[in-house]
Every structure is written in structure tokens, then in C-alpha cells.
């Protein structure tokens, strides 16, 4: 290996960025073909290639860091900035949907019966499953912090237990939400209420699934001894993302489930 | 190299990079819980000076996955361009 006079990581040439771009093209045009021509071949190709690119790209990052040692403190700092910026962009993404909700609910139009919830809409009882879901996500925030402390203390067994519990709570949340979706008396087509409710909670649910997947990868890496007691940024990034998902839910619960009922 | 120390375990002495602190596996009584630590062996494998880029470093399985992905994306892109070309034609079929 050549010796460099700086602490940054000059990566090997990689095909994943351009394949990832192609996968995005296939997915978006696949959506068009599915919407307008009722064929899903292109969409399936897009989603599959997206999955393959993500698997291999992130596999390579693990190889470069854990196995090749390229993640110096300088590189890690850059990754921290990157993750913070990404989460910030996601905050803005959700902000838009909250804006739409408050725009419609603070001044309900005559078409809705001049009230919120609109006439004829039976909202979910916020003290029922939604409250349980709130408790579940809050508990998972505690368990993921417990896992982090276990890692920094070098206690691998305890860390595995805590992280497994976190993932289990995430899956429990997803299952309960799916059940709730099935049980609602209103659908996404039921006025702006349905639109704001299902788009915001739906994207949140997707983020819970993404976060659970990220945590699962961390669990596998934890089991395989990839993390050390003071170098485990992949786990920290997953934990930050998970806390973000929790906080979004708290806002969703307070505004749409509680205030909005 | 700044801030980098060799791995505490002495199994693989000739590695260029190492972890900065003790491995969690160096702690007693956890080795047999859920598999043994293969990180030092993998570090040796991925630091071999064979000139291979990281995405092909493992040999055959990497090559297969890479070619599958390439076939899917390039084939899919061609299919996509054909489909978009056809969709952009005025409705003269049937």
C-alpha cells in the first residue's frame, strides 16, 4: 500500500455510485410504468438493483474500515458530519408533512364541515394502541442507550442483549402500526385528513423499518466482533437515526393523534 | 501514522493498520458466546497486497455479485430507454 502524508481516505475505484444512479433511474421510471401502464418489471428491476447496490456499497465501507483500517479519527469526523447532515435533511422532509397537516387542520374548510377532525371521520383513540406505541419507542430509546453503554464498557454479551431488545421493540411497533392501519375506519382517500395522516405516519413507519434494519446490521457486526469499545461509529449512527425516528413519532403523536382528535 | 496503534492481539503482526483500542473479544469469558472472533483473519485477507479493489477483494463471490448487479442495472437501463421511447410515441397502436 502507498503511504500517504494525510489522514484522509482515498477510496479504491468503485462501481457502486454509477450503478446506484442507474438503480434510481430504473426505480423512478419503473414507478411510471407501473402507474400508467400497469407493468411492474422495470420497478422490480429498480428495487432489486437498489438493494444489491446498497448491500455491496455498505459491505465495502465495512471492509475499508474494520478490515483495512482506513477510518482514522479524521475520516470518522467526516462521517459524523455526514450523518448529522443527512438526519437534518430528513427532519426537513418531515417538517413539510407537518406543515401540510397544520395548514389544513388549523383552518378547516367548509368542505370538511368547518371542523377538525372533519365531519364523518372517526379518529383513532390516542389513549389506545398509539399510546402503547409511544411507550414502545421510548423504551427502545432506553435500550439502545443501554446497548451503547455496554459497548463502551466492553461488555459484548450485554450489548447483544440490549440491541436485540431494541430491535424487538422496533418490530413490535411496526406490527402494531400495521394492525392499526387495518383497523382504521378511514382511508388515505378520506379527505385531507386521510392524506395527511397516512402520508406522515406511513413515511414514519418506513423510517422505523429502515432504522430497525440499520440496527440489525449493527447487531450482526456486534456479534462478529467488529466494534471496539471506543470505535463503533456505525452503531452510533444507527442509534442517532433511531432517536430521530422516536422524536418524529412523539411529534406525530402529539399533533395528529392527540391534538388532531 | 497518527493516532493508530497496532492490534493488542499478537496473532497478526505485519498489518499496516490496526484498531485503536483493545478488541471487545480480548475480554475474558465472552469468546464462546455466539461465535469466535474472525476479524484478525479478515484483516489479513483484506490487506493482502494483490492490487484488487475492495469490492472484488474476496474473489469469486464478489465477482459474481458484481456481474449480477451490472447485468441488472445495464440491462435494466436499456429496457428503460426502450420503454420510455415507446411510451413517448403517439398512440398509433391497435
Amino acid at each position: 500500500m502507498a503511504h500517504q502524508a494525510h489522514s484522509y481516505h482515498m477510496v479504491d475505484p468503485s462501481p457502486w455510485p454509477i450503478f446506484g444512479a442507474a438503480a434510481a433511474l430504473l426505480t423512478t421510471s419503473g414507478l411510471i410504468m407501473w402507474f400508467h401502464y400497469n407493468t411492474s418489471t422495470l420497478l422490480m428491476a429498480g428495487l432489486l438493483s437498489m438493494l444489491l447496490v446498497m448491500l455491496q456499497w455498505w459491505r465495502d465501507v465495512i471492509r475499508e474500515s474494520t478490515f483495512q483500517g482506513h477510518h482514522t479519527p479524521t475520516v470518522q469526523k467526516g462521517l459524523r458530519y455526514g450523518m448529522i447532515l443527512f438526519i437534518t435533511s430528513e427532519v426537513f422532509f418531515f417538517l413539510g408533512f407537518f406543515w401540510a397537516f397544520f395548514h389544513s387542520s388549523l383552518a378547516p374548510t367548509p368542505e370538511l364541515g368547518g371542523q377538525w377532525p372533519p365531519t364523518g371521520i372517526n379518529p383513532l383513540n390516542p389513549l389506545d394502541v398509539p399510546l402503547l406505541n409511544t411507550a414502545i419507542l421510548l423504551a427502545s430509546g432506553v435500550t439502545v442507550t443501554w446497548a451503547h453503554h455496554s459497548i463502551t464498557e466492553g461488555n459484548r454479551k450485554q450489548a447483544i442483549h440490549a440491541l436485540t431488545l431494541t430491535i424487538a421493540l422496533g418490530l413490535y411497533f411496526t406490527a402494531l402500526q400495521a394492525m392499526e392501519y387495518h383497523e382504521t375506519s378511514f382511508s388515505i382517500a378520506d379527505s385531507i385528513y386521510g392524506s395527511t395522516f397516512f402520508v406522515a405516519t406511513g413515511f414514519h413507519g418506513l423510517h422505523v423499518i429502515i432504522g430497525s434494519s440499520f440496527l440489525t446490521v449493527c447487531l450482526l457486526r456486534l456479534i462478529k466482533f467488529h466494534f471496539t469499545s471506543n470505535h463503533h461509529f456505525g452503531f452510533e449512527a444507527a442509534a442517532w437515526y433511531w432517536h430521530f425516528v422516536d422524536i418524529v413519532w412523539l411529534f406525530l403523536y402529539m399533533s395528529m393523534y392527540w391534538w388532531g382528535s | 501514522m497518527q493516532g493508530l496503534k497496532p492490534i493488542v492481539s499478537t496473532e497478526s503482526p505485519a498489518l499496516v493498520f490496526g484498531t485503536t483500542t483493545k478488541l471487545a473479544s480480548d475480554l475474558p469469558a465472552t469468546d464462546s458466546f455466539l461465535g469466535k472472533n474472525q476479524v484478525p483473519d479478515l484483516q489479513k485477507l483484506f490487506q493482502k497486497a494483490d492490487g484488487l479493489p475492495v469490492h472484488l477483494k474476496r474473489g469469486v463471490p464478489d465477482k459474481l455479485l458484481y456481474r449480477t448487479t451490472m447485468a441488472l442495472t445495464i440491462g435494466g437501463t436499456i429496457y428503460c430507454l426502450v420503454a420510455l421511447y415507446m411510451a413517448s410515441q403517439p398512440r398509433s397502436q391497435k
Side-chain angles (χ1 to χ4, degrees):
Chain A
M1 266 194 228
H3 292 271
Q4 54 190 42
H6 60 81
S7 53
Y8 294 94
H9 180 198
M10 306 303 289
V11 294
D12 290 340
S14 168
W16 311 128
I18 196 155
F19 284 169
L25 168 68
L26 299 188
T27 306
T28 46
S29 48
L31 274 172
I32 293 170
M33 295 304 285
W34 184 51
F35 289 158
H36 295 279
Y37 297 92
N38 201 26
T39 56
S40 46
T41 319
L42 202 50
L43 180 57
M44 291 299 118
L47 291 173
L48 185 58
S49 50
M50 219 167 82
L51 187 67
L52 284 170
V53 168
M54 288 194 292
L55 281 172
Q56 291 171 96
W57 194 333
W58 283 323
R59 172 207 68 188
D60 288 353
V61 174
I62 293 173
R63 288 179 176 181
E64 289 160 2
S65 55
T66 307
F67 304 144
Q68 294 183 334
H70 287 292
H71 284 199
T72 61
T74 312
V75 171
Q76 205 192 118
K77 196 160 181 220
L79 291 171
R80 285 176 190 275
Y81 278 128
M83 192 67 194
I84 299 278
L85 288 169
F86 173 64
I87 292 176
T88 306
S89 77
E90 295 249 76
V91 169
F92 281 105
F93 179 70
F94 277 98
L95 225 59
F97 296 120
F98 277 102
W99 185 339
F101 169 73
F102 283 114
H103 175 98
S104 302
S105 59
L106 284 168
T109 61
E111 290 88 342
L112 303 174
Q115 62 179 43
W116 193 275
T119 317
I121 295 280
N122 272 329
L124 294 166
N125 180 2
L127 301 177
D128 201 336
V129 174
L131 185 59
L132 173 60
N133 273 344
T134 305
I136 288 168
L137 284 186
L138 286 173
S140 72
V142 170
T143 53
V144 80
T145 306
W146 175 25
H148 191 191
H149 282 256
S150 303
I151 291 173
T152 48
E153 287 157 22
N155 194 335
R156 176 170 165 269
K157 195 166 177 180
Q158 200 174 89
I160 290 172
H161 288 158
L163 188 48
T164 305
L165 197 48
T166 308
I167 295 166
L169 288 167
L171 293 173
Y172 188 28
F173 175 94
T174 304
L176 285 171
Q177 267 299 68
M179 211 192 66
E180 280 287 270
Y181 269 29
H182 191 67
E183 297 286 321
T184 55
S185 61
F186 54 90
S187 78
I188 196 172
D190 284 316
S191 81
I192 193 66
Y193 183 90
S195 300
T196 50
F197 180 86
F198 283 109
V199 169
T201 59
F203 271 118
H204 174 261
L206 177 64
H207 284 70
V208 171
I209 292 168
I210 291 169
S212 304
S213 307
F214 195 174
L215 288 168
T216 304
V217 170
C218 287
L219 178 61
L220 291 170
R221 296 186 66 202
L222 177 59
I223 291 171
K224 288 172 181 289
F225 300 89
H226 287 198
F227 299 136
T228 70
S229 53
N230 76 346
H231 190 168
H232 44 266
F233 176 66
F235 173 83
E236 288 182 72
W240 291 350
Y241 195 79
W242 192 253
H243 288 306
F244 153 72
V245 158
D246 187 6
I247 291 168
V248 169
W249 170 259
L250 294 176
F251 280 104
L252 278 173
Y253 181 74
M254 287 190 297
S255 52
M256 295 195 188
Y257 284 90
W258 196 348
W259 178 84
S261 68
Chain B
M1 311 260 171
Q2 55 165 94
L4 294 170
K5 295 187 193 119
I7 307 170
V8 171
S9 151
T10 53
E11 275 176 50
S12 35
L15 296 171
V16 179
F17 294 109
T19 53
T20 53
T21 61
K22 60 181 176 178
L23 293 167
S25 60
D26 284 345
L27 297 165
T30 55
D31 271 319
S32 56
F33 182 68
L34 282 181
K36 69 181 250 311
N37 187 1
Q38 294 178 320
V39 172
D41 299 325
L42 288 164
Q43 285 171 331
K44 236 194 305 242
L45 168 69
F46 284 101
Q47 290 181 43
K48 251 194 302 193
D50 53 14
L52 286 174
V54 71
H55 68 281
L56 294 170
K57 200 86 172 170
R58 221 168 178 167
V60 175
D62 286 358
K63 228 187 331 189
L64 283 174
L65 212 51
Y66 166 69
R67 288 181 181 181
T68 307
T69 311
M70 186 164 69
L72 196 55
T73 47
I74 294 182
T77 304
I78 296 170
Y79 178 54
C80 171
L81 294 171
V82 167
L84 288 174
Y85 172 77
M86 289 189 340
S88 62
Q89 298 301 307
R91 298 177 127 263
S92 52
Q93 75 278 53
K94 288 202 191 103

